[in-house]
Amino acid sequence: MVERRKPIWIKEATEKVMEYKKRGEGETVSIHECDDRYLYAPLIADHDVPPFDRSPYDGFALRAKDTENASRENPLLFEVIDEIGAGQVSLQKVGQLEAVRIMTGAQIPVGADCVIMLELVKELTEGGKKYIEVKRTLQEGDNISFQGEDTQKGSPLIDKGERINPGIKALLATFGYGKVKVAKKPIVGIIATGSELLRPEDDLEPGKIRDSNGYMIESQVLRTGGIYKKYDNCADDLETLYQAMKTALEECDIVITTGGVSVGDFDYLPEIYQRLGAKLLFNKIAMRPGSVTSCAEINGQLLFGLSGNPSACYVGFELFVKPYLRYWMHSDRPYTRFITGVLKSDFPKPNPFTRFVRGKLSYAGGTVYAEPVGLDKSGVVTSIAWADCLIVLPGGTRGYGEKDEVDLILLEDQQGSEVPWQEKKLSKL
Amino acid sequence: MVERRKPIWIKEATEKVMEYKKRGEGETVSIHECDDRYLYAPLIADHDVPPFDRSPYDGFALRAKDTENASRENPLLFEVIDEIGAGQVSLQKVGQLEAVRIMTGAQIPVGADCVIMLELVKELTEGGKKYIEVKRTLQEGDNISFQGEDTQKGSPLIDKGERINPGIKALLATFGYGKVKVAKKPIVGIIATGSELLRPEDDLEPGKIRDSNGYMIESQVLRTGGIYKKYDNCADDLETLYQAMKTALEECDIVITTGGVSVGDFDYLPEIYQRLGAKLLFNKIAMRPGSVTSCAEINGQLLFGLSGNPSACYVGFELFVKPYLRYWMHSDRPYTRFITGVLKSDFPKPNPFTRFVRGKLSYAGGTVYAEPVGLDKSGVVTSIAWADCLIVLPGGTRGYGEKDEVDLILLEDQQGSEVPWQEKKLSKL
């Protein structure tokens, strides 16, 4: 009954999953609903920025050549022939020794070719007419933001597949995207398996525990930008689980099960994959936790079998499911982002397998540090809650010590990576 | 008409805002709806973890003392009297030289006091009875996870005010929170002011631009965890703006305006604050951008007047509005998180004011670097979209160079900080 499984490298497992990557469809939403969605098409400037020659300051627009002889000793008077606010356009043409009072952002009136700042002039009224005293020379173009100097109409500003943050939303508004084409959210089916599983609202019973993985995955799916469909927990019963999987495959884009993947007698997943006619991509990975992560494919649809162990389940999602979903939503940086940082603790015991230790980032003097969370017993329960990174300790014959440089997978990152984390050296497994 | 304003330090402005901090109410939501919400009460363990003595492996539960004489040379036979899966409880009592086959996570049967792993025994069947061959001695407690060894019933595991991430959601499920008490989302009123403002769906008109700040703030509010109520853009007209502000104050918890705060002729906000009977907390801060950020208070309700300049508006929100909202949702780390990192560019020109430069983080060899985004012209438009940090360059008589250590405000962080960023030295303003 005990099945022998052949472990593969994380690199291979990632490649096998991404062999089946696909881009999902798009849909159009109101700009008010676009936050955190992925752009389905590049964001294009629909006009020049600035859209017209404008003033970056409150001041007076005038002709530079009229200031040629202005100086402290020789202040020149300009007649203020109009005042315009932002959004207004002066109908006056600025002539010799004339000026138009102009607000920040307002369009430069015809005839004027420079702006003098409000603070640099003295305002006077004489005989019911307004004047300003100018005591310096100006050059043509002084204090003018020229049409198109920042961005020209038609320029692509943001690539498709970028996730919409406050800055991108501002650009969408600026460039007339009252409606935004975004990637449709992939629907992720979630089935927690195991006869021991209760729901959060159930009272505890002897021998049973409440399902937590299903809820954790809900949250991971949402954080990635997908939506989920959660099915009832499945007891370890072949027929029930088979039916649930069939339904989920029809209703969802991908299906995640948690539990039922180890080699225990009651783990029916291998048999169900077979009955469904799914092709097994892998069922063991050389990593800890998460070694029993599995993935199967049927008609291009993926079934992820994550471990019933919460940490293993969590890691399995971040490494294998998330990139698949981000790619689906057109991201070109689908993989979980990783950086290098410095260890704050010793891990003296060598381990043949690559380990992903739940860690917490800290920063001091320009250096990124990471230390494991959950070293005390109660931390075992809360370590996923506190972790903001996974400390990657590659498998091998040596342990790791404080101050060693290690890779850190960022859990709260939304930017992603073009390349996946993978083993630097592949020996024989 | 040009009003003189007294700038204050960022530190003072932060303090003035937080003088009016308050904690919002709570509400109860289904666990399925709790993602990204802030806990209104600490998360308490409602049972021991593990909830009963259980096996961490697939194996056989037996009595340690029966293995006393077991060895390679002297394998002992144990009769397998029962098999239990996870979620099942054996009704058998394990006696002398008896064993119960047990799955990962299953409860240790009565009588047994240790577990031997599946891989370490040989299974036999003789005369219709099942046996295992044990070739080593075991100690009482071997391979047993004891009830309460990770967490004891009643322990507080996560503080109130923490934002619910996948790990916290898993804990909520584990500890029976089918319904979760979370902080109510503060309602933020948003009014963009300026006669030059069009909506994204409008065609451009001479002298006008489309509002982008209002949309950017929507997104910043959502990212912080609040909800927004967006009002129609207000032309620079005293009465309209006054009425809009009055309505917003009635319908929202706080109100943000953008634009209308500089000293231009058409900036009505100071007068409106007066008509509303609001107390001005500040209207100028010694910083760039965002120097014209203002804040006023009426009956304990705050009115934030953010600049009409997009970068200034963005920074004003992150520094002053976000902490207020996070505290409202019971966070004890309400402030924007900052770390130290290393500059990747020169800023040779000294500036008397503290500058917040939109930057991008990168990491190499354990060091955090930051470089400004938007140095080219088109970057001016897109810099907020690309920034994931604000590079803080304190005001003073010197410039900054590559390799200088600087503070970096993290824009995508969800963890926050107990203390605000503030000037290290306060001289006279």
Side-chain angles (χ1 to χ4, degrees), chain A residues 311-348:
Chain A
S311 304
C313 181
Y314 187 85
V315 170
F317 184 94
E318 296 295 316
L319 290 187
F320 305 109
V321 185
K322 190 174 173 178
Y324 184 84
L325 294 178
R326 283 176 59 92
Y327 187 89
W328 182 289
M329 292 180 283
H330 294 246
S331 174
D332 286 326
R333 292 191 307 276
Y335 299 102
T336 309
R337 189 174 180 191
F338 56 96
I339 63 172
T340 52
V342 176
L343 264 187
K344 253 185 143 172
S345 309
D346 289 332
F347 292 85

mmCIF file of all heavy atoms in Angstrom, chain A residues 311-348:
data_model
loop_
_atom_site.group_PDB
_atom_site.id
_atom_site.type_symbol
_atom_site.label_atom_id
_atom_site.label_comp_id
_atom_site.label_asym_id
_atom_site.label_seq_id
_atom_site.Cartn_x
_atom_site.Cartn_y
_atom_site.Cartn_z
ATOM 1 N N SER A 311 1.925 24.628 7.156
ATOM 2 C CA SER A 311 3.101 25.317 6.616
ATOM 3 C C SER A 311 3.428 24.819 5.219
ATOM 4 O O SER A 311 3.801 25.588 4.334
ATOM 5 C CB SER A 311 4.321 25.093 7.506
ATOM 6 O OG SER A 311 4.022 25.502 8.799
ATOM 7 N N ALA A 312 3.283 23.520 5.019
ATOM 8 C CA ALA A 312 3.574 22.923 3.723
ATOM 9 C C ALA A 312 2.562 23.414 2.697
ATOM 10 O O ALA A 312 2.899 23.705 1.545
ATOM 11 C CB ALA A 312 3.540 21.406 3.830
ATOM 12 N N CYS A 313 1.327 23.516 3.131
ATOM 13 C CA CYS A 313 0.249 23.994 2.268
ATOM 14 C C CYS A 313 0.533 25.437 1.842
ATOM 15 O O CYS A 313 0.437 25.791 0.667
ATOM 16 C CB CYS A 313 -1.057 23.906 3.059
ATOM 17 S SG CYS A 313 -2.513 24.422 2.155
ATOM 18 N N TYR A 314 0.925 26.245 2.807
ATOM 19 C CA TYR A 314 1.223 27.659 2.567
ATOM 20 C C TYR A 314 2.352 27.816 1.549
ATOM 21 O O TYR A 314 2.241 28.552 0.567
ATOM 22 C CB TYR A 314 1.625 28.302 3.900
ATOM 23 C CG TYR A 314 1.797 29.794 3.857
ATOM 24 C CD1 TYR A 314 0.706 30.633 4.020
ATOM 25 C CD2 TYR A 314 3.050 30.365 3.681
ATOM 26 C CE1 TYR A 314 0.853 32.004 3.998
ATOM 27 C CE2 TYR A 314 3.215 31.747 3.649
ATOM 28 C CZ TYR A 314 2.114 32.552 3.814
ATOM 29 O OH TYR A 314 2.266 33.918 3.787
ATOM 30 N N VAL A 315 3.436 27.103 1.789
ATOM 31 C CA VAL A 315 4.607 27.188 0.906
ATOM 32 C C VAL A 315 4.262 26.680 -0.492
ATOM 33 O O VAL A 315 4.633 27.287 -1.503
ATOM 34 C CB VAL A 315 5.793 26.395 1.499
ATOM 35 C CG1 VAL A 315 6.924 26.267 0.482
ATOM 36 C CG2 VAL A 315 6.286 27.056 2.775
ATOM 37 N N GLY A 316 3.509 25.582 -0.557
ATOM 38 C CA GLY A 316 3.120 25.022 -1.845
ATOM 39 C C GLY A 316 2.344 26.032 -2.684
ATOM 40 O O GLY A 316 2.565 26.177 -3.890
ATOM 41 N N PHE A 317 1.448 26.766 -2.015
ATOM 42 C CA PHE A 317 0.686 27.784 -2.745
ATOM 43 C C PHE A 317 1.608 28.879 -3.280
ATOM 44 O O PHE A 317 1.544 29.243 -4.454
ATOM 45 C CB PHE A 317 -0.390 28.407 -1.844
ATOM 46 C CG PHE A 317 -1.257 29.392 -2.582
ATOM 47 C CD1 PHE A 317 -2.456 28.994 -3.136
ATOM 48 C CD2 PHE A 317 -0.854 30.714 -2.763
ATOM 49 C CE1 PHE A 317 -3.251 29.892 -3.859
ATOM 50 C CE2 PHE A 317 -1.629 31.620 -3.481
ATOM 51 C CZ PHE A 317 -2.837 31.198 -4.027
ATOM 52 N N GLU A 318 2.453 29.412 -2.400
ATOM 53 C CA GLU A 318 3.298 30.549 -2.800
ATOM 54 C C GLU A 318 4.236 30.182 -3.949
ATOM 55 O O GLU A 318 4.437 30.965 -4.869
ATOM 56 C CB GLU A 318 4.115 31.065 -1.600
ATOM 57 C CG GLU A 318 3.278 31.641 -0.462
ATOM 58 C CD GLU A 318 2.515 32.914 -0.834
ATOM 59 O OE1 GLU A 318 3.106 33.787 -1.484
ATOM 60 O OE2 GLU A 318 1.314 33.021 -0.492
ATOM 61 N N LEU A 319 4.795 28.969 -3.892
ATOM 62 C CA LEU A 319 5.790 28.590 -4.902
ATOM 63 C C LEU A 319 5.175 28.148 -6.221
ATOM 64 O O LEU A 319 5.738 28.385 -7.283
ATOM 65 C CB LEU A 319 6.691 27.459 -4.380
ATOM 66 C CG LEU A 319 7.687 27.790 -3.280
ATOM 67 C CD1 LEU A 319 8.585 26.596 -3.031
ATOM 68 C CD2 LEU A 319 8.532 29.002 -3.642
ATOM 69 N N PHE A 320 4.039 27.480 -6.179
ATOM 70 C CA PHE A 320 3.539 26.848 -7.408
ATOM 71 C C PHE A 320 2.197 27.401 -7.903
ATOM 72 O O PHE A 320 2.005 27.562 -9.099
ATOM 73 C CB PHE A 320 3.468 25.330 -7.221
ATOM 74 C CG PHE A 320 4.789 24.760 -6.797
ATOM 75 C CD1 PHE A 320 4.984 24.289 -5.507
ATOM 76 C CD2 PHE A 320 5.859 24.739 -7.683
ATOM 77 C CE1 PHE A 320 6.221 23.801 -5.107
ATOM 78 C CE2 PHE A 320 7.094 24.246 -7.297
ATOM 79 C CZ PHE A 320 7.284 23.778 -6.002
ATOM 80 N N VAL A 321 1.289 27.700 -6.987
ATOM 81 C CA VAL A 321 -0.032 28.154 -7.429
ATOM 82 C C VAL A 321 -0.011 29.638 -7.810
ATOM 83 O O VAL A 321 -0.527 30.043 -8.845
ATOM 84 C CB VAL A 321 -1.105 27.900 -6.346
ATOM 85 C CG1 VAL A 321 -2.485 28.263 -6.894
ATOM 86 C CG2 VAL A 321 -1.077 26.448 -5.883
ATOM 87 N N LYS A 322 0.611 30.440 -6.953
ATOM 88 C CA LYS A 322 0.616 31.891 -7.169
ATOM 89 C C LYS A 322 1.181 32.294 -8.538
ATOM 90 O O LYS A 322 0.551 33.102 -9.243
ATOM 91 C CB LYS A 322 1.412 32.543 -6.033
ATOM 92 C CG LYS A 322 1.327 34.032 -5.946
ATOM 93 C CD LYS A 322 2.046 34.449 -4.670
ATOM 94 C CE LYS A 322 2.195 35.933 -4.533
ATOM 95 N NZ LYS A 322 2.868 36.237 -3.238
ATOM 96 N N PRO A 323 2.349 31.769 -8.939
ATOM 97 C CA PRO A 323 2.864 32.157 -10.268
ATOM 98 C C PRO A 323 1.891 31.802 -11.388
ATOM 99 O O PRO A 323 1.707 32.579 -12.327
ATOM 100 C CB PRO A 323 4.148 31.336 -10.412
ATOM 101 C CG PRO A 323 4.532 30.948 -9.040
ATOM 102 C CD PRO A 323 3.277 30.870 -8.236
ATOM 103 N N TYR A 324 1.257 30.635 -11.254
ATOM 104 C CA TYR A 324 0.306 30.214 -12.279
ATOM 105 C C TYR A 324 -0.847 31.225 -12.372
ATOM 106 O O TYR A 324 -1.251 31.627 -13.461
ATOM 107 C CB TYR A 324 -0.219 28.808 -11.956
ATOM 108 C CG TYR A 324 -1.138 28.270 -13.023
ATOM 109 C CD1 TYR A 324 -0.624 27.650 -14.158
ATOM 110 C CD2 TYR A 324 -2.517 28.403 -12.912
ATOM 111 C CE1 TYR A 324 -1.465 27.176 -15.160
ATOM 112 C CE2 TYR A 324 -3.367 27.930 -13.910
ATOM 113 C CZ TYR A 324 -2.835 27.316 -15.029
ATOM 114 O OH TYR A 324 -3.663 26.867 -16.012
ATOM 115 N N LEU A 325 -1.349 31.650 -11.218
ATOM 116 C CA LEU A 325 -2.465 32.598 -11.193
ATOM 117 C C LEU A 325 -2.048 33.981 -11.690
ATOM 118 O O LEU A 325 -2.782 34.641 -12.422
ATOM 119 C CB LEU A 325 -3.041 32.718 -9.783
ATOM 120 C CG LEU A 325 -3.712 31.466 -9.209
ATOM 121 C CD1 LEU A 325 -4.189 31.735 -7.778
ATOM 122 C CD2 LEU A 325 -4.875 31.018 -10.088
ATOM 123 N N ARG A 326 -0.872 34.422 -11.282
ATOM 124 C CA ARG A 326 -0.408 35.749 -11.723
ATOM 125 C C ARG A 326 -0.188 35.759 -13.242
ATOM 126 O O ARG A 326 -0.498 36.740 -13.907
ATOM 127 C CB ARG A 326 0.878 36.150 -10.993
ATOM 128 C CG ARG A 326 0.632 36.624 -9.552
ATOM 129 C CD ARG A 326 1.938 36.920 -8.814
ATOM 130 N NE ARG A 326 2.724 37.945 -9.472
ATOM 131 C CZ ARG A 326 2.668 39.261 -9.205
ATOM 132 N NH1 ARG A 326 1.855 39.700 -8.265
ATOM 133 N NH2 ARG A 326 3.426 40.122 -9.854
ATOM 134 N N TYR A 327 0.357 34.680 -13.770
ATOM 135 C CA TYR A 327 0.532 34.606 -15.221
ATOM 136 C C TYR A 327 -0.835 34.658 -15.897
ATOM 137 O O TYR A 327 -1.023 35.348 -16.901
ATOM 138 C CB TYR A 327 1.295 33.336 -15.616
ATOM 139 C CG TYR A 327 1.644 33.333 -17.089
ATOM 140 C CD1 TYR A 327 2.838 33.887 -17.546
ATOM 141 C CD2 TYR A 327 0.764 32.817 -18.034
ATOM 142 C CE1 TYR A 327 3.147 33.928 -18.898
ATOM 143 C CE2 TYR A 327 1.062 32.859 -19.389
ATOM 144 C CZ TYR A 327 2.249 33.409 -19.818
ATOM 145 O OH TYR A 327 2.547 33.465 -21.144
ATOM 146 N N TRP A 328 -1.775 33.943 -15.352
ATOM 147 C CA TRP A 328 -3.162 33.926 -15.867
ATOM 148 C C TRP A 328 -3.693 35.352 -15.994
ATOM 149 O O TRP A 328 -4.363 35.696 -16.956
ATOM 150 C CB TRP A 328 -4.029 33.109 -14.903
ATOM 151 C CG TRP A 328 -5.469 32.950 -15.306
ATOM 152 C CD1 TRP A 328 -6.443 33.907 -15.309
ATOM 153 C CD2 TRP A 328 -6.094 31.747 -15.769
ATOM 154 N NE1 TRP A 328 -7.628 33.382 -15.727
ATOM 155 C CE2 TRP A 328 -7.449 32.051 -16.014
ATOM 156 C CE3 TRP A 328 -5.652 30.437 -15.965
ATOM 157 C CZ2 TRP A 328 -8.368 31.097 -16.466
ATOM 158 C CZ3 TRP A 328 -6.566 29.493 -16.413
ATOM 159 C CH2 TRP A 328 -7.898 29.818 -16.666
ATOM 160 N N MET A 329 -3.333 36.176 -15.016
ATOM 161 C CA MET A 329 -3.820 37.572 -15.026
ATOM 162 C C MET A 329 -2.852 38.490 -15.778
ATOM 163 O O MET A 329 -2.813 39.684 -15.548
ATOM 164 C CB MET A 329 -4.067 38.028 -13.595
ATOM 165 C CG MET A 329 -5.257 37.288 -12.972
ATOM 166 S SD MET A 329 -5.614 37.763 -11.274
ATOM 167 C CE MET A 329 -4.322 36.897 -10.385
ATOM 168 N N HIS A 330 -2.057 37.893 -16.636
ATOM 169 C CA HIS A 330 -1.208 38.612 -17.589
ATOM 170 C C HIS A 330 0.035 39.261 -17.001
ATOM 171 O O HIS A 330 0.661 40.102 -17.647
ATOM 172 C CB HIS A 330 -2.036 39.639 -18.368
ATOM 173 C CG HIS A 330 -3.065 39.006 -19.247
ATOM 174 N ND1 HIS A 330 -3.029 39.067 -20.605
ATOM 175 C CD2 HIS A 330 -4.154 38.232 -18.952
ATOM 176 C CE1 HIS A 330 -4.053 38.394 -21.109
ATOM 177 N NE2 HIS A 330 -4.754 37.882 -20.121
ATOM 178 N N SER A 331 0.389 38.874 -15.807
ATOM 179 C CA SER A 331 1.619 39.426 -15.240
ATOM 180 C C SER A 331 2.832 38.861 -15.972
ATOM 181 O O SER A 331 2.879 37.673 -16.291
ATOM 182 C CB SER A 331 1.729 39.081 -13.757
ATOM 183 O OG SER A 331 2.987 39.513 -13.260
ATOM 184 N N ASP A 332 3.805 39.719 -16.235
ATOM 185 C CA ASP A 332 5.075 39.240 -16.776
ATOM 186 C C ASP A 332 6.103 39.045 -15.671
ATOM 187 O O ASP A 332 7.254 38.733 -15.934
ATOM 188 C CB ASP A 332 5.610 40.211 -17.834
ATOM 189 C CG ASP A 332 4.814 40.088 -19.135
ATOM 190 O OD1 ASP A 332 4.373 38.965 -19.461
ATOM 191 O OD2 ASP A 332 4.613 41.115 -19.807
ATOM 192 N N ARG A 333 5.688 39.273 -14.449
ATOM 193 C CA ARG A 333 6.546 38.949 -13.298
ATOM 194 C C ARG A 333 5.722 38.038 -12.381
ATOM 195 O O ARG A 333 5.343 38.428 -11.278
ATOM 196 C CB ARG A 333 6.963 40.232 -12.568
ATOM 197 C CG ARG A 333 7.916 41.125 -13.380
ATOM 198 C CD ARG A 333 8.506 42.239 -12.514
ATOM 199 N NE ARG A 333 7.453 42.977 -11.839
ATOM 200 C CZ ARG A 333 6.762 43.970 -12.367
ATOM 201 N NH1 ARG A 333 7.042 44.405 -13.569
ATOM 202 N NH2 ARG A 333 5.805 44.551 -11.691
ATOM 203 N N PRO A 334 5.434 36.831 -12.868
ATOM 204 C CA PRO A 334 4.473 35.989 -12.150
ATOM 205 C C PRO A 334 5.029 35.335 -10.883
ATOM 206 O O PRO A 334 4.262 34.980 -9.997
ATOM 207 C CB PRO A 334 4.107 34.915 -13.181
ATOM 208 C CG PRO A 334 5.286 34.816 -14.078
ATOM 209 C CD PRO A 334 5.858 36.214 -14.148
ATOM 210 N N TYR A 335 6.343 35.213 -10.806
ATOM 211 C CA TYR A 335 6.901 34.403 -9.711
ATOM 212 C C TYR A 335 7.010 35.197 -8.414
ATOM 213 O O TYR A 335 7.061 36.428 -8.420
ATOM 214 C CB TYR A 335 8.269 33.849 -10.110
ATOM 215 C CG TYR A 335 8.190 32.949 -11.317
ATOM 216 C CD1 TYR A 335 8.562 33.397 -12.579
ATOM 217 C CD2 TYR A 335 7.689 31.657 -11.195
ATOM 218 C CE1 TYR A 335 8.456 32.578 -13.692
ATOM 219 C CE2 TYR A 335 7.584 30.830 -12.304
ATOM 220 C CZ TYR A 335 7.952 31.293 -13.550
ATOM 221 O OH TYR A 335 7.836 30.487 -14.645
ATOM 222 N N THR A 336 7.075 34.443 -7.343
ATOM 223 C CA THR A 336 7.239 35.006 -6.020
ATOM 224 C C THR A 336 8.601 35.696 -5.942
ATOM 225 O O THR A 336 9.605 35.123 -6.328
ATOM 226 C CB THR A 336 7.145 33.852 -5.011
ATOM 227 O OG1 THR A 336 5.945 33.113 -5.304
ATOM 228 C CG2 THR A 336 7.077 34.342 -3.611
ATOM 229 N N ARG A 337 8.608 36.931 -5.495
ATOM 230 C CA ARG A 337 9.845 37.709 -5.483
ATOM 231 C C ARG A 337 10.812 37.234 -4.403
ATOM 232 O O ARG A 337 10.399 36.936 -3.289
ATOM 233 C CB ARG A 337 9.495 39.178 -5.226
ATOM 234 C CG ARG A 337 10.670 40.129 -5.395
ATOM 235 C CD ARG A 337 10.188 41.564 -5.275
ATOM 236 N NE ARG A 337 11.271 42.511 -5.433
ATOM 237 C CZ ARG A 337 11.147 43.806 -5.162
ATOM 238 N NH1 ARG A 337 9.994 44.283 -4.732
ATOM 239 N NH2 ARG A 337 12.163 44.620 -5.327
ATOM 240 N N PHE A 338 12.090 37.186 -4.734
ATOM 241 C CA PHE A 338 13.084 36.830 -3.716
ATOM 242 C C PHE A 338 14.264 37.782 -3.769
ATOM 243 O O PHE A 338 14.595 38.321 -4.824
ATOM 244 C CB PHE A 338 13.534 35.375 -3.868
ATOM 245 C CG PHE A 338 14.086 35.050 -5.238
ATOM 246 C CD1 PHE A 338 15.450 35.084 -5.477
ATOM 247 C CD2 PHE A 338 13.230 34.718 -6.284
ATOM 248 C CE1 PHE A 338 15.960 34.795 -6.740
ATOM 249 C CE2 PHE A 338 13.727 34.437 -7.553
ATOM 250 C CZ PHE A 338 15.094 34.475 -7.789
ATOM 251 N N ILE A 339 14.854 37.971 -2.619
ATOM 252 C CA ILE A 339 15.996 38.887 -2.487
ATOM 253 C C ILE A 339 17.055 38.166 -1.655
ATOM 254 O O ILE A 339 16.817 37.067 -1.168
ATOM 255 C CB ILE A 339 15.584 40.187 -1.767
ATOM 256 C CG1 ILE A 339 15.128 39.879 -0.317
ATOM 257 C CG2 ILE A 339 14.466 40.886 -2.526
ATOM 258 C CD1 ILE A 339 14.880 41.124 0.513
ATOM 259 N N THR A 340 18.217 38.760 -1.508
ATOM 260 C CA THR A 340 19.175 38.171 -0.567
ATOM 261 C C THR A 340 19.194 38.998 0.704
ATOM 262 O O THR A 340 19.048 40.215 0.670
ATOM 263 C CB THR A 340 20.607 38.100 -1.135
ATOM 264 O OG1 THR A 340 20.953 39.399 -1.622
ATOM 265 C CG2 THR A 340 20.715 37.097 -2.255
ATOM 266 N N GLY A 341 19.357 38.313 1.803
ATOM 267 C CA GLY A 341 19.420 38.976 3.094
ATOM 268 C C GLY A 341 20.383 38.222 3.995
ATOM 269 O O GLY A 341 20.991 37.226 3.579
ATOM 270 N N VAL A 342 20.498 38.701 5.208
ATOM 271 C CA VAL A 342 21.473 38.135 6.135
ATOM 272 C C VAL A 342 20.746 37.411 7.266
ATOM 273 O O VAL A 342 19.810 37.947 7.850
ATOM 274 C CB VAL A 342 22.371 39.263 6.699
ATOM 275 C CG1 VAL A 342 23.327 38.726 7.748
ATOM 276 C CG2 VAL A 342 23.121 39.951 5.568
ATOM 277 N N LEU A 343 21.183 36.195 7.549
ATOM 278 C CA LEU A 343 20.574 35.390 8.616
ATOM 279 C C LEU A 343 20.859 35.985 9.986
ATOM 280 O O LEU A 343 21.973 36.436 10.251
ATOM 281 C CB LEU A 343 21.158 33.986 8.589
ATOM 282 C CG LEU A 343 20.394 32.898 7.854
ATOM 283 C CD1 LEU A 343 21.075 31.552 8.108
ATOM 284 C CD2 LEU A 343 18.953 32.840 8.333
ATOM 285 N N LYS A 344 19.873 35.929 10.851
ATOM 286 C CA LYS A 344 20.058 36.424 12.216
ATOM 287 C C LYS A 344 20.146 35.278 13.212
ATOM 288 O O LYS A 344 20.236 35.513 14.412
ATOM 289 C CB LYS A 344 18.878 37.324 12.593
ATOM 290 C CG LYS A 344 19.230 38.797 12.628
ATOM 291 C CD LYS A 344 18.056 39.594 13.111
ATOM 292 C CE LYS A 344 18.473 40.760 13.979
ATOM 293 N NZ LYS A 344 17.335 41.628 14.289
ATOM 294 N N SER A 345 20.059 34.044 12.739
ATOM 295 C CA SER A 345 20.095 32.886 13.646
ATOM 296 C C SER A 345 20.933 31.782 13.034
ATOM 297 O O SER A 345 21.167 31.762 11.834
ATOM 298 C CB SER A 345 18.698 32.307 13.861
ATOM 299 O OG SER A 345 17.811 33.289 14.230
ATOM 300 N N ASP A 346 21.322 30.855 13.871
ATOM 301 C CA ASP A 346 22.059 29.680 13.391
ATOM 302 C C ASP A 346 21.109 28.547 13.044
ATOM 303 O O ASP A 346 20.111 28.327 13.732
ATOM 304 C CB ASP A 346 23.024 29.182 14.481
ATOM 305 C CG ASP A 346 24.192 30.126 14.667
ATOM 306 O OD1 ASP A 346 24.549 30.807 13.689
ATOM 307 O OD2 ASP A 346 24.732 30.193 15.790
ATOM 308 N N PHE A 347 21.415 27.858 11.983
ATOM 309 C CA PHE A 347 20.743 26.599 11.648
ATOM 310 C C PHE A 347 21.849 25.570 11.461
ATOM 311 O O PHE A 347 22.162 25.196 10.328
ATOM 312 C CB PHE A 347 19.937 26.729 10.354
ATOM 313 C CG PHE A 347 18.751 27.623 10.473
ATOM 314 C CD1 PHE A 347 18.878 28.986 10.308
ATOM 315 C CD2 PHE A 347 17.498 27.090 10.767
ATOM 316 C CE1 PHE A 347 17.781 29.817 10.420
ATOM 317 C CE2 PHE A 347 16.403 27.921 10.882
ATOM 318 C CZ PHE A 347 16.542 29.276 10.708
ATOM 319 N N PRO A 348 22.447 25.133 12.558
ATOM 320 C CA PRO A 348 23.681 24.337 12.443
ATOM 321 C C PRO A 348 23.470 22.967 11.805
ATOM 322 O O PRO A 348 24.383 22.427 11.190
ATOM 323 C CB PRO A 348 24.161 24.200 13.892
ATOM 324 C CG PRO A 348 22.980 24.498 14.739
ATOM 325 C CD PRO A 348 22.049 25.360 13.946
#
